[in-house]
Amino acid sequence: MSMCDCLNNKDLIKGQKRLRIAIQKSGRLTEDTEKLFKSAGIQFELNKNHLLSHAQNLPIDILRVRDDDIPGLVMDHVVDWGIVGQNVLEETMMQRATDGLPIAYKEVMKLNYGDCRLSLAIPQEMQWNGFECLEGKKIATTYPFLLKRKFKELNINIKTVMLTGSVEVAPRAGLADAICDLVCTGATLAQNGLKEVETIYTSKAVLIGRDQELYPEKQATADLIIPRLKGVMAAKESKYIMMNAPKDKLLQISSILPGAETPSIIELEGCEDRVAMHVVSREKLFWETMEELKKLGATSILVVPIEKMLD
Ligand code: ATP
Ligand code: ZN
């Protein structure tokens, strides 16, 4: 066996053992993705200039690429997992289907970040009378497939102008009559003299995987990591609530706590009619709820963030 064959074999075996995950190199999904991985105990260097980083403590490799390339890398089996917005995933799938490329993947889990909407926006001075007023008009977008699908459903003819950036300047530049772009707050639209009129697609980040069985070593890593990622997301939404409460109000108190699990009740020394109550609540706790708890006789109410959860 030549030296070269040895190296190839070694790389191949390494490739079979380490779970390879593609993430956005730098952009709106990057920070949240890195935070999620860090909280799940995946330690890797944060140097964005490295295309491939090896996790130091787990058999995981992180591939940093443009978000647009992530669905294709998963569907072409170059990586095992990828994190991408549903908008990019669906758009790429339609594009690939048109090009006759494979589009199979599986959704490993939805993530709790990357929320945005794909909306239609028109110049502020233009009157909006529903989708029909765009009949025959030019719409600039980065998502021509999602846009065309919507207007096909509506049976309205439009022309699409494909732009990969600065879509919001298209109407002013005379390139299009309207735009279809991702919106979060709408501030960019307003700055460009546009108003949002309809949302055609809502999106969040998803973790997708190749539609194929993983090698056993990679599957073992996936089985370890999935509950951790879910645990990190569940913890973010959850709170640990502690209070002292009158025994005869415990039922009422439990019923107003949002998404609460069965509480632990702890006797308070030298106190007959009051107990300490500890409970994990799966939802955000608003000031209004805390004030209601107080009205029911609860005291020393503490709401504590949870760092990790494993069900
Ligand atoms: P890349 O250089 O990787 O191609 P990009 O400019 O295409 O980056 P970003 O603007 O970083 O992409 O957005 C990446 C994804 O983040 C979007 O496809 C979308 O799913 C999501 N996203 C979340 N919030 C927003 C927002 N306010 N505006 C745009 N996209 C958002
Ligand atoms: Zn992109």
Side-chain angles (χ1 to χ4, degrees):
M1 202 189 279
S2 72
M3 178 73 169
C4 188
D5 285 337
C6 278
L7 279 177
N8 284 343
N9 275 341
K10 226 166 105 190
D11 279 349
L12 194 72
I13 290 164
K14 220 170 140 192
Q16 288 172 1
K17 292 194 168 160
R18 297 179 71 86
L19 189 72
R20 188 172 280 189
I21 314 175
I23 67 168
Q24 193 186 20
K25 182 173 192 269
S26 89
R28 290 187 153 104
L29 300 177
T30 311
E31 202 188 320
D32 287 326
T33 301
E34 290 183 347
K35 241 196 269 167
L36 174 65
F37 284 1
K38 225 177 125 199
S39 307
I42 309 172
Q43 291 168 11
F44 59 98
E45 48 172 336
L46 293 175
N47 189 338
K48 294 214 165 57
N49 297 320
H50 290 179
L51 176 69
L52 195 66
S53 335
H54 306 289
Q56 291 125 12
N57 60 335
L58 285 165
I60 293 177
D61 291 339
I62 309 284
L63 188 72
R64 297 169 188 281
V65 290
R66 286 199 57 191
D67 68 340
D68 313 66
D69 296 334
I70 293 173
L73 289 169
V74 173
M75 292 165 191
D76 291 333
H77 300 164
V78 177
V79 297
D80 303 301
W81 281 1
I83 290 182
V84 69
Q86 288 165 321
N87 52 321
V88 172
L89 177 61
E90 279 219 24
E91 181 71 19
T92 312
M93 275 223 292
M94 286 188 270
Q95 171 78 62
R96 286 175 65 95
T98 308
D99 298 343
L101 296 169
I103 53 165
Y105 74 94
K106 42 185 174 216
E107 184 177 293
V108 181
M109 69 180 83
K110 291 201 172 54
L111 303 170
N112 59 353
Y113 57 87
D115 294 63
C116 60
R117 54 189 191 272
L118 186 62
S119 285
L120 283 170
I122 57 171
Q124 231 126 40
E125 61 282 3
M126 185 174 155
Q127 216 191 325
W128 178 250
N129 302 315
F131 288 101
E132 292 76 20
C133 61
L134 289 174
E135 173 76 47
K137 297 267 201 268
K138 271 194 251 171
I139 309 178
T141 189
T142 310
Y143 302 92
F145 283 92
L146 284 170
L147 176 65
K148 279 188 254 180
R149 182 174 73 184
K150 179 71 189 176
F151 277 85
K152 204 167 165 210
E153 274 166 29
L154 295 165
N155 218 359
I156 297 170
N157 289 309
I158 49 143
K159 295 187 192 90
T160 57
V161 179
M162 170 69 177
L163 288 178
T164 53
S166 308
V167 176
E168 63 284 352
V169 303
R172 247 190 319 157
L175 299 174
D177 304 293
I179 68 160
C180 177
D181 202 10
L182 289 179
V183 184
C184 191
T185 61
T188 316
L189 292 180
Q191 277 164 19
N192 285 283
L194 299 171
K195 60 182 174 191
E196 185 179 356
V197 286
E198 288 283 350
T199 295
I200 70 157
Y201 188 81
T202 52
S203 174
K204 52 171 55 220
V206 274
L207 171 58
I208 56 168
R210 59 201 255 184
D211 187 36
Q212 221 185 20
E213 262 187 47
L214 294 173
Y215 287 108
E217 287 90 346
K218 292 189 183 196
Q219 190 59 52
T221 309
D223 292 342
L224 177 80
I225 284 303
I226 291 171
R228 288 196 190 179
L229 297 172
K230 288 188 175 157
V232 173
M233 290 191 287
K236 200 174 154 199
E237 313 287 313
S238 304
K239 294 280 176 268
Y240 193 77
I241 303 166
M242 296 176 266
M243 71 190 91
N244 292 344
K247 270 184 184 165
D248 59 347
K249 292 279 165 44
L250 289 182
L251 269 179
Q252 265 174 289
I253 288 179
S254 295
S255 71
I256 64 166
L257 287 171
E261 311 205 318
T262 319
S264 308
I265 306 294
I266 306 149
E267 292 292 332
L268 287 172
E269 196 147 292
C271 194
E272 292 279 292
D273 54 346
R274 294 177 70 76
V275 285
M277 182 175 174
H278 290 199
V279 65
V280 171
S281 166
R282 297 267 177 178
E283 288 164 40
K284 218 171 167 172
L285 190 75
F286 293 102
W287 279 109
E288 289 77 3
T289 312
M290 291 184 66
E291 284 148 10
E292 269 181 68
L293 292 172
K294 214 177 143 197
K295 276 190 208 140
L296 286 168
T299 53
S300 309
I301 309 167
L302 288 181
V303 180
V304 185
I306 297 173
E307 194 183 271
K308 293 188 180 74
M309 269 177 124
L310 207 53
D311 280 330

